[in-house]
Amino acid sequence: MKKFKKIYIEITNNCNLNCSFCSKTSREKKNMTLEEFKVILEKIKDYTNYIYLHVKGEPLLHKDVIDFIKEADKYNLKVNLTTNGTLFKDKSIELGKCTNLNKINFSLHSENNKENYLEDIFDNIKNLSTNTTVIYRLWTLKNNKLDEKSTKIVERIKDYYNLSTETVDKIKNENNIKINPQIYVDKDNEFVWPTVNNHKSCGYCYALKTHIGVLSDGTVVPCCLDAEGIINLGNIYKQNLDEIINSDRFKKIQKSFQDRKPIEELCASCTFKQKEKEL
């Protein structure tokens, strides 16, 4: 069994939207090159079977995203994507040819004014392989209740897929509901990116045990919530992954996460007291 359940790779920290729930990054904007991506794949190939092409940014905005997915297939790596969906229509046919695209998450709660936004997603899911799981995300709930926007989205899902009253009730009251063999609806309370000011509690964390993240500039971080690279564990362009994960610092931080012990530098980005999410 490989060391990590998944590794997040941020192929771009650029986005075509400016959603209020997504924290603003102070990092330099960067699109990872295909050559840089190949370096990463070569170094992580023995450590995981799954990669997630995001931390910050919109992965479908990257001009080479299809090539990235195909390159990962050469290393027998399954790929998961999280997208706001605005660019999906134009990419869907090529994405459907990627046999290693394991899952695609659509953040339907993204803030955009694109006409026929949802229908463009719904209509083009058919272009994906039936082996690709599709998740429609509604992460704007208030106290586990659908807000007005999410309620309207559920109604449009119901109408498009001709869902039964029973299924709609499950969507409203339960989580991770399958609406057809390929598609699920996932709900959660409004997501707030952790910062130094809003996230200081401590608890068990899966970071460094089941996953790590790699930012577009090569910085290795404990998880996808450290979008600013505050906990810089090294740089994968300059170091081998084995060197990074066997460092005293890596091991110390990992033990602190698992022992529920705070480390001052971690308070800005830890996943403490949050369930593990496949963001």
Side-chain angles (χ1 to χ4, degrees), residues 107-231:
S107 297
L108 299 188
H109 52 276
S110 62
E111 298 168 3
N112 70 90
N113 297 315
K114 185 177 180 182
E115 189 176 358
N116 300 321
Y117 162 64
L118 293 178
E119 286 70 23
D120 281 350
I121 295 174
F122 300 159
D123 288 344
N124 289 284
I125 292 298
K126 65 180 183 296
N127 294 327
L128 296 177
S129 166
T130 55
N131 294 323
T132 301
T133 299
V134 173
I135 310 291
Y136 292 151
R137 286 182 169 178
L138 299 171
W139 284 10
T140 55
L141 276 64
K142 307 293 185 183
N143 298 317
N144 296 312
K145 301 294 183 182
L146 291 172
D147 63 357
E148 182 180 358
K149 180 179 180 179
S150 296
T151 299
K152 290 179 179 179
I153 293 174
V154 170
E155 286 299 310
R156 291 171 72 176
I157 293 173
K158 179 198 74 173
D159 292 342
Y160 187 90
Y161 291 99
N162 193 26
L163 300 181
S164 67
T165 301
E166 179 183 6
T167 299
V168 174
D169 287 341
K170 284 184 177 180
I171 291 174
K172 290 180 178 179
N173 298 297
E174 300 177 26
N175 196 23
N176 204 31
I177 302 303
K178 181 186 286 190
I179 62 174
N180 75 22
Q182 185 177 10
I183 303 173
Y184 295 77
V185 177
D186 179 48
K187 314 192 316 294
D188 209 333
N189 287 323
E190 182 177 12
F191 178 73
V192 178
W193 282 87
T195 68
V196 173
N197 296 322
N198 72 11
H199 203 68
K200 294 185 178 180
S201 57
C202 299
Y204 187 86
C205 182
Y206 288 98
L208 306 184
K209 180 178 180 181
T210 64
H211 59 275
I212 57 173
V214 181
L215 302 183
S216 56
D217 64 358
T219 300
V220 176
V221 293
C223 74
C224 60
L225 294 183
D226 187 3
E228 292 302 299
I230 293 172
I231 312 173

Side-chain angles (χ1 to χ4, degrees), residues 45-61:
K45 64 182 181 181
D46 295 326
Y47 292 89
T48 191
N49 292 316
Y50 292 88
I51 59 174
Y52 289 60
L53 299 187
H54 66 277
V55 174
K56 277 296 185 68
E58 168 52 53
L60 296 187
L61 190 62

